[in-house]
Amino acid sequence: MEKFTELIHLFVTVFLSTFASLMVLPAVTDVTMVAVCPGQDECSLAIYLTGFQQAIIGMGTVVMLPLIGNLSDQHGRKALLTLPLTLSIIPLAILAYSRTTGFFYAYYALRTLTAMICEGSIECLALAYVADNVLERQRTSVFGILAGMATAALVCGTLAARFLSTALTFQVAALVSMLAAVYMRIFVEESLPNSENLTQPILKSGQDDHCQDDGDLPRKPMVSKKMPSIQAIISLLKSSVTFSQAAIVAFFNRLSYGGLQASIMYYLKARFHFSKNQYADLMLLVGVSGMASQLLLMPLLAPLVAEEKLLAIGLLGGIANALLYSVACSTWVPYATTIFSVFAVFIPPCLQSIVSKQIGPDEQGKAQGCISGIISLANIISPLIYSPLTALFLSEDAPFNFPGFIFVCIGFATMIAFFQSLLIRAAPPISCHKSSSNSILA
């Protein structure tokens, strides 16, 4: 029960942090447009600034996420969570004070720098925290619940933004971000990997220990204290076919999702003149659909349907979503696409569960950081592809009149991820575990 309580405190921390970061999304587009291109519905400069920021953040997180994950294996999840939770307050506080052009560019610069550490690291550390305390067979469901808490934060944040002014939106977000950091420091207990359960780390220390047939554990392996090198990450990917396949799926799925992030707000504003409130309503509908799926549907399906099959179903939903956006001809179409959110939200928890089962407990942070780094690499490439395409096909200089072509490209990347997911087969985890008495669910 004590362990379960600590997991609840982690969920609350993730909820508060995600609430603060996501509630400003509907307002950031309008603030950017007003600061960069006042009085315009289309602005190529705003699109390029957003894409450039996303690429720079991706470059930073490619390096930082594996490092943060590895350090959390050595020094604990809570110690490393403090850094991103604290840094994420700064950009929000700037726009909470003022949203003039000068303050916007200050926000833009500091948001770019802090996000190199904050972007994805809270999720990465939370996943490692859960893997420390939950048995393998139940991780898909618990990862789904964790993702559901983030989606619930999206719903609540979007709903709050719907009824708050732009100024008040950033002020509330800054206060909630501070509350998340304080709550985590007070209530969340430290979680260090349980070395007693580790049998054979995926990056071997030179000892040739193997899992015994009777399930007994060999002598405790040495845990590397070095910072993760490129060679170590490559070794991690090569050590398991399933791990490398999951990494490919994560890359192409994030490539398509990054394209969606880079283009959708500007696409809806240019095509259908979406306002901040209309975009907030759409986000709210997407969030409610995803939350219901993650908190209600996924815990029911996970014990019955193999996670690799749920992953393929989720990717099919992503393909359908992109293709329907590409032929959108009326304002009701974006709202209709939210039905596919019910399936698309299966993707992250299934990938995270597949990855977590391929490594030992002492390397959960390293593995989740490695996958997060690969996702960040996709974040670098994605805006370089999709931001110019979005600006081109929304302009009068488009080679042909098909603004939705950008979503055809997004769907193509998701399709690659889908076909790769079909190659993933259920296999025994690399780590051999006894039933842990420290697990939350036994």
Side-chain angles (χ1 to χ4, degrees), residues 101-405:
T101 301
F103 279 93
F104 167 76
Y105 281 110
Y107 156 82
Y108 181 87
L110 287 174
R111 157 71 180 156
T112 303
L113 293 173
T114 58
M116 291 180 184
I117 297 175
C118 304
E119 192 89 3
S121 59
I122 295 174
E123 178 188 15
C124 169
L125 294 170
L127 291 168
Y129 193 105
V130 170
D132 290 343
N133 298 283
V134 177
L135 293 175
E136 288 181 346
R137 65 177 179 271
Q138 294 162 322
R139 285 180 192 167
T140 304
S141 297
V142 180
F143 284 157
I145 294 172
L146 180 64
M149 295 303 296
T151 307
L154 168 65
V155 172
C156 295
T158 305
L159 188 62
R162 180 68 175 80
F163 298 103
L164 295 176
S165 65
T166 299
L168 199 54
T169 296
F170 286 101
Q171 290 166 6
V172 171
L175 289 174
V176 174
S177 186
M178 295 176 192
L179 178 61
V182 173
Y183 184 93
M184 187 276 297
R185 291 302 306 173
I186 294 175
F187 294 106
V188 176
E189 292 293 331
E190 184 59 272
S191 175
L192 287 167
N194 188 354
S195 299
E196 294 178 357
N197 286 337
L198 182 62
T199 57
Q200 180 72 14
I202 208 164
L203 299 181
K204 300 176 176 59
S205 60
Q207 300 175 4
D208 192 20
D209 293 328
H210 300 282
C211 295
Q212 299 174 6
D213 293 336
D214 61 359
D216 292 337
L217 300 176
R219 63 185 182 274
K220 186 188 298 184
M222 295 174 59
V223 179
S224 173
K225 299 297 182 181
K226 298 179 180 179
M227 302 304 177
S229 63
I230 297 298
Q231 291 79 7
I233 293 175
I234 293 174
S235 175
L236 185 66
L237 292 170
K238 287 183 176 180
S239 59
S240 167
V241 173
T242 299
F243 193 103
S244 60
Q245 289 172 336
I248 294 171
V249 173
F251 176 82
F252 281 101
N253 178 65
R254 188 62 189 193
L255 193 67
S256 64
Y257 183 73
L260 194 66
Q261 281 187 314
S263 60
I264 188 169
M265 292 183 288
Y266 299 103
Y267 175 80
L268 293 175
K269 198 171 187 65
R271 285 294 311 278
F272 307 117
H273 306 287
F274 261 44
S275 66
K276 167 196 165 185
N277 287 342
Q278 285 177 300
Y279 184 70
D281 290 340
L282 178 61
M283 295 286 287
L284 185 62
L285 190 56
V286 171
V288 170
S289 301
M291 180 178 65
S293 179
Q294 288 167 328
L295 296 180
L296 300 177
L297 184 59
M298 195 164 183
L300 294 176
L301 291 178
L304 304 175
V305 182
E307 54 203 7
E308 63 272 10
K309 294 181 180 179
L310 287 177
L311 174 62
I313 292 171
L315 290 167
L316 278 177
I319 294 170
N321 179 70
L323 294 181
L324 190 56
Y325 259 113
S326 70
V327 295
C329 56
S330 181
T331 55
W332 65 267
V333 177
Y335 295 100
T337 62
T338 57
I339 186 63
F340 299 112
S341 300
V342 174
F343 306 104
V345 295
F346 292 166
I347 301 171
C350 290
L351 274 175
Q352 292 151 3
S353 179
I354 290 169
V355 167
S356 74
K357 292 177 181 179
Q358 299 304 306
I359 44 89
D362 276 3
E363 295 181 322
Q364 289 293 327
K366 185 185 297 182
Q368 297 295 347
C370 177
I371 292 296
S372 297
I374 290 169
I375 289 173
S376 297
L377 180 61
N379 282 339
I380 299 173
I381 299 172
S382 181
L384 299 178
I385 298 172
Y386 295 114
S387 291
L389 282 174
T390 302
L392 176 62
F393 280 91
L394 292 181
S395 71
E396 296 179 355
D397 300 326
F400 48 89
N401 185 22
F402 186 19
F405 179 74

